[in-house]
Amino acid sequence: MTEKIKKIKQWLEKNDSRLAYITDPTNIFYLTGFKCNPHERFLGLFVFPEDEPFIVCPELEVGQARAAFAGKVIGYRDDQDPWAAVGKALDKKKQNGEKIAIEPSTLPYKNAVILSDLYESPAFISIEGLLSSMRSVKSRAELDAMKKAGEIADYAVQIGVNAIKKGRTERAIIAEIEYELAKHGYSEMAFDTMVLTGENSAAPHGYPGTRQIKEGDFVLFDLGVVVNGYCSDITRTVCYKHATDDQIKIYNTCLQANRAAIQVVRKGLRIGDLDGTARKVISEAGYGHYFTHRLGHGLGLGEHEAPSMSADNDKTLTTGMVFTIEPGIYVPDLGGVRIEDDIYLSEDGPVTLTHYSKDLQIIQ
Ligand code: MN
Ligand code: MN
């Protein structure tokens, strides 16, 4: 049995629960090494305080599940009801009114209803806190994958910057980035690649389109790649041909906020205060109300995971965490700047996993 499954078992014991029903494919991959995108099909990992855990998955995935997972694997065909197999496997362990540990954010409601029938009014408790705190502290192997993902993200930004040309559209630059990466064997992006130009860059989560690059534009790249399941997430903003004094001031304020936050990263720091450090720099420069989102987020198997680097987070930074620091300033009609790095908190302090230059670049 793996250490991770052991932790789940101990937690169940402590919380007086006799079943954890895990359905989120990312959590299942994290706990078992079995990577599966079941689409609309049923996938579940069942863990008990004492009995051996088992996986129920589509028949076509059974081979891969067995290769990754030492416990029992139960497959079902597309013409079979997966719940019949689950019910049979659970039969001897079942007790009505059971406390069942679930992931409230991802458990499909229809499955909760079926479980409620199987166990006759169970009490559902959340196991998400445990899973997200386990996932937030990275092992050596996880860190190695994330370092590599960071390097490839640096390279992807370089491809994008090289592709900047007058009249080029955002979509065309994205196509170039992803084509070049795929040629080098990196075809899984952590999320939809973002290239936003000119006034479009003022939308933190904008949708790239057919806007053509013009002189004087900000060009914002936000992208990430997946290596062995682990994500990177980088944002860089450059200017095209020339920059106004306003643009330079916005850029350098954002950069100062990024650097100030990275500098104070240490074990035990209240996470909300990290957000505050960056926000103070931006507010003092007069752009406070243009920094409209939290400072960052945890990163790992998910492109957004715990911890949330927001002002109201009273939790503290722990050694082993990987998270983003991504202050932004978005001025409507003018454009936006965001500078995002991935940070690993080592025993000796912060280690930056993204290295693409942050000094203001004016691309000619
Ligand atoms: Mn990003
Ligand atoms: Mn991010």
Side-chain angles (χ1 to χ4, degrees):
M1 192 190 1
T2 66
E3 279 307 307
K4 289 172 187 164
I5 296 281
K6 207 180 274 174
K7 274 193 187 154
I8 302 288
K9 284 173 170 279
Q10 285 163 353
W11 185 92
L12 289 172
E13 191 92 55
K14 213 175 93 196
N15 286 275
D16 191 30
S17 164
R18 288 165 21 94
L19 167 63
Y21 166 45
I22 316 265
T23 58
D24 177 52
T26 309
N27 282 334
I28 292 178
F29 175 61
Y30 176 74
L31 293 171
T32 67
F34 170 43
K35 192 167 192 176
C36 173
N37 179 352
H39 302 283
E40 78 287 5
R41 294 183 175 104
F42 180 94
L43 172 69
L45 167 66
F46 295 81
V47 187
F48 313 90
E50 275 144 29
D51 296 330
E52 282 305 299
F54 63 82
I55 285 175
V56 177
C57 68
E59 185 68 39
L60 70 162
E61 310 273 1
V62 163
Q64 271 164 302
R66 291 212 169 111
F69 178 64
K72 195 171 171 189
V73 177
I74 301 166
Y76 64 89
R77 295 193 316 265
D78 284 340
D79 58 358
Q80 290 175 323
D81 174 11
W83 279 103
V86 173
K88 215 170 114 195
L90 287 177
D91 226 11
K92 286 190 213 90
K93 312 175 203 294
K94 244 168 50 189
Q95 228 172 292
N96 291 341
E98 195 75 85
K99 244 187 186 178
I100 301 179
I102 54 155
E103 304 141 295
S105 308
T106 50
L107 173 64
Y109 177 70
K110 61 177 183 182
N111 290 351
V113 169
I114 296 171
L115 264 186
S116 295
D117 286 345
L118 267 179
Y119 280 86
E120 279 183 37
S121 6
F124 290 120
I125 58 171
S126 173
I127 196 168
E128 281 177 348
L130 172 71
L131 289 167
S132 62
S133 81
M134 283 169 72
R135 275 174 53 178
S136 71
V137 176
K138 269 67 181 178
S139 69
R140 183 78 232 177
E142 290 178 297
L143 176 63
D144 286 346
M146 296 192 77
K147 277 186 173 161
K148 186 73 190 169
E151 277 169 31
I152 307 301
D154 292 337
Y155 173 58
V157 173
Q158 186 62 60
I159 298 166
V161 168
N162 292 347
I164 292 176
K165 231 169 90 182
K166 194 171 178 174
R168 271 240 161 119
T169 66
E170 297 165 340
R171 281 267 143 223
I173 294 176
I174 291 170
E176 185 129 347
I177 293 170
E178 295 187 350
Y179 176 65
E180 283 301 317
L181 288 180
K183 281 199 288 189
H184 289 85
Y186 298 97
S187 53
E188 191 180 355
M189 304 307 289
F191 49 88
D192 289 346
T193 300
M194 216 187 284
V195 173
L196 297 169
T197 61
E199 62 279 1
N200 286 355
S201 60
H205 277 176
Y207 292 97
T210 53
R211 187 187 181 281
Q212 296 178 319
I213 295 187
K214 290 193 301 225
E215 291 189 11
D217 277 353
F218 275 133
V219 182
L220 183 151
F221 300 89
D222 187 352
L223 56 89
V225 298
V226 181
V227 172
N228 296 340
Y230 288 83
C231 300
S232 53
D233 185 3
I234 187 173
T235 307
R236 289 294 186 269
T237 311
V238 300
C239 291
Y240 180 57
K241 291 287 186 190
H242 51 79
T244 63
D245 290 346
D246 269 355
Q247 283 175 306
I248 293 170
K249 189 180 171 208
I250 291 168
Y251 188 91
N252 286 331
T253 302
C254 189
L255 178 58
Q256 212 191 323
N258 167 290
R259 289 198 166 130
I262 293 173
Q263 207 162 29
V264 298
V265 167
R266 61 174 167 80
K267 187 172 146 187
L269 178 72
R270 183 182 167 271
I271 290 170
D273 293 347
L274 187 61
D275 177 280
T277 300
R279 205 163 295 278
K280 185 162 173 265
V281 172
I282 291 175
S283 295
E284 283 177 359
Y287 297 115
H289 57 295
Y290 294 132
F291 179 15
T292 46
H293 53 74
R294 61 184 174 176
L295 181 64
H297 51 83
L299 189 68
L301 289 171
E303 77 272 26
H304 282 183
E305 56 180 56
S308 174
M309 320 307 282
S310 57
D312 63 344
N313 192 341
D314 292 325
K315 297 208 173 103
T316 55
L317 292 176
T318 311
T319 307
M321 281 180 172
V322 177
F323 49 87
T324 69
I325 287 188
E326 49 179 308
I329 301 173
Y330 312 94
V331 183
D333 302 324
L334 193 157
V337 172
R338 181 166 61 254
I339 304 171
E340 173 176 29
D341 285 310
D342 303 343
I343 308 295
Y344 167 70
L345 178 50
S346 77
E347 280 296 343
D348 305 319
V351 177
T352 305
L353 307 181
T354 38
H355 298 103
Y356 190 88
S357 170
K358 293 192 276 195
D359 292 325
L360 176 61
Q361 289 188 68
I362 300 173
I363 307 301
Q364 294 306 321

